[in-house]
Amino acid sequence: MFSLNISLTVLLGTVAVITSDGRMIVGTLKGFDQTINLILDESHERVFSSSQGVEQVVLGLYIVRGDNVAVIGEIDEETDSALDLGNIRAEPLNSVAH
Amino acid sequence: RAGTKSVPVRLRGPGPLAAAGLKLPHAARAAAAGMLFYSFFKSLVGKDVVVELKNDLSICGTLHSVDQYLNIKLTDISVTDPEKYPHMLSVKNCFIRGSVVRYVQLPADEVDTQLLQDAARKEALQQKQ
């Protein structure tokens, strides 16, 4: 019986999840399982645009199915609060499909 | 057996996974179970790699760990094109799901491609049987 050998326990905290359709969701990682299903609390989506600053859409408590998870990034709170999201211009991320 | 190609097989000497620079005693069993790349990546833990994802994002970092699904954890990451991809500015460590990896770029001097080729050939043979 395999368990998730890379421990995601270390990431339990504020994370940025990049989904397979190119969205970025920031929240508190409360739980996960072997298939990388995630429980994200206090989550919000950061919508990037090349014409205006980053828009944050409040989502709340979410379960994200593991199929849709591409990257889970551990957010450094200090660096994150120093970010000027209003001034960031970027194209949204691509999806992982072609 | 009729029809089998003869492939030079080393009867003595290092097992299939010494190819990946590993000296694990269970190396042969691991290769037989289709774990060649898992073991190969384990031997690269601590090295700097660049992971290119299927969404075209490229992340540079130190390989911290890998698992049997080839999920990858990188530490001290930087995106190779931060102007185009400022999305990860506040992220220092990340977990990458194996299924979204397109390429893993490795330092050439860290890999003995000849040995890796031999190990892959042996694993392919074992899987056929």
Side-chain angles (χ1 to χ4, degrees):
Chain A
M1 188 68 68
F2 284 127
S3 62
L4 195 63
N5 285 337
I6 292 186
S7 187
L8 284 174
T9 316
V10 138
L11 291 174
L12 291 173
T14 309
V15 295
V17 177
I18 298 187
T19 57
S20 54
D21 61 352
R23 279 188 272 197
M24 178 173 170
I25 301 177
V26 176
T28 311
L29 184 63
K30 292 288 191 167
F32 58 88
D33 69 6
Q34 220 161 300
T35 54
I36 326 279
N37 294 328
L38 306 176
I39 299 179
L40 280 184
D41 199 2
E42 295 154 352
S43 61
H44 58 269
E45 180 182 343
R46 286 195 188 162
V47 185
F48 290 79
S49 141
S50 42
S51 53
Q52 58 178 60
V54 177
E55 184 194 348
Q56 306 211 79
V57 181
V58 173
L59 301 171
L61 179 59
Y62 259 39
I63 291 181
V64 182
R65 193 180 153 89
D67 299 346
N68 302 295
V69 174
V71 179
I72 306 172
E74 186 182 356
I75 285 203
D76 177 47
E77 305 270 11
E78 248 189 82
T79 320
D80 199 54
S81 40
L83 281 182
D84 182 9
L85 291 174
N87 271 331
I88 296 181
R89 302 283 182 278
E91 287 287 307
L93 292 168
N94 291 331
S95 87
V96 300
H98 320 287
Chain B
R1 256 175 281 142
T4 48
K5 256 194 273 187
S6 82
V7 176
V9 175
R10 253 182 259 131
L11 295 177
R12 258 178 255 114
L17 265 118
L22 300 177
K23 289 164 177 70
L24 302 175
H26 52 273
R29 244 179 292 134
M35 304 274 269
L36 177 63
F37 279 91
Y38 172 40
S39 303
F40 171 64
F41 280 120
K42 277 205 287 193
S43 75
L44 290 175
V45 165
K47 307 284 185 287
D48 287 340
V49 297
V50 181
V51 181
E52 181 176 323
L53 306 179
K54 290 179 183 172
N55 63 3
D56 303 329
L57 180 62
S58 278
I59 305 175
C60 176
T62 309
L63 184 63
H64 175 273
S65 48
V66 66
D67 68 12
Q68 74 265 27
Y69 305 111
L70 303 186
N71 295 328
I72 289 171
K73 203 190 250 181
L74 295 179
T75 53
D76 209 16
I77 65 156
S78 57
V79 176
T80 50
D81 190 353
E83 261 209 40
K84 186 168 183 200
Y85 299 112
H87 312 68
M88 308 274 282
L89 285 174
S90 19
V91 175
K92 297 284 182 286
N93 310 316
C94 69
F95 168 93
I96 301 171
R97 200 172 196 265
S99 59
V100 304
V101 174
R102 183 184 289 142
Y103 304 123
V104 178
Q105 293 164 25
L106 313 164
D109 41 358
E110 293 297 339
V111 180
D112 185 330
T113 50
Q114 195 52 57
L115 287 180
L116 191 57
Q117 224 175 21
D118 290 344
R121 201 172 290 130
K122 287 197 183 93
E123 178 172 286
L125 264 182
Q126 283 167 328
Q127 291 203 330
K128 242 198 238 175
Q129 286 161 358

